[in-house]
Amino acid sequence: ITLGARADQNPFSAELAAMAHVLKMIVGIKDYRTTLLTSNKAAVLTLRNPRRQSGQEFVCQMYKLMRRLRKNGNRIEFH
């Protein structure tokens, strides 16, 4: 997917967008254990302790998607 001009984005927000995109793709599954792997440690730490920063809209979207996935009996891990 395209997020915008390279000057407007950074690898951190791009990684959050990619993670949100993956969660959106799997939101209909039930009773699965899903692990998202990333080399961007800051993106994973942001999900643990979100604050106002770049990519906040993706963090909010991910929390909504994770809530829906968990309602269907799924487990989600980030590494």
Side-chain angles (χ1 to χ4, degrees), residues 47-74:
L47 292 173
R48 184 183 293 174
N49 187 17
R51 289 182 232 125
R52 288 280 170 209
Q53 56 204 19
S54 65
Q56 190 66 32
E57 66 274 8
F58 299 118
V59 173
C60 292
Q61 183 181 21
M62 288 174 64
Y63 270 99
K64 288 177 188 175
L65 292 166
M66 287 188 292
R67 196 170 22 254
R68 286 178 59 192
L69 283 162
R70 287 184 178 129
K71 263 188 193 176
N72 288 337
N74 297 297

Side-chain angles (χ1 to χ4, degrees), residues 16-67:
L16 289 175
M19 291 164 57
H21 182 71
V22 168
L23 290 176
K24 194 182 307 181
M25 289 174 47
I26 65 168
V27 79
I29 65 172
K30 293 184 180 199
D31 300 320
Y32 274 82
R33 184 177 178 166
T34 304
T35 303
L36 263 71
L37 304 173
T38 179
S39 60
N40 193 321
K41 186 176 179 181
V44 175
L45 292 176
T46 296
L47 292 173
R48 184 183 293 174
N49 187 17
R51 289 182 232 125
R52 288 280 170 209
Q53 56 204 19
S54 65
Q56 190 66 32
E57 66 274 8
F58 299 118
V59 173
C60 292
Q61 183 181 21
M62 288 174 64
Y63 270 99
K64 288 177 188 175
L65 292 166
M66 287 188 292
R67 196 170 22 254

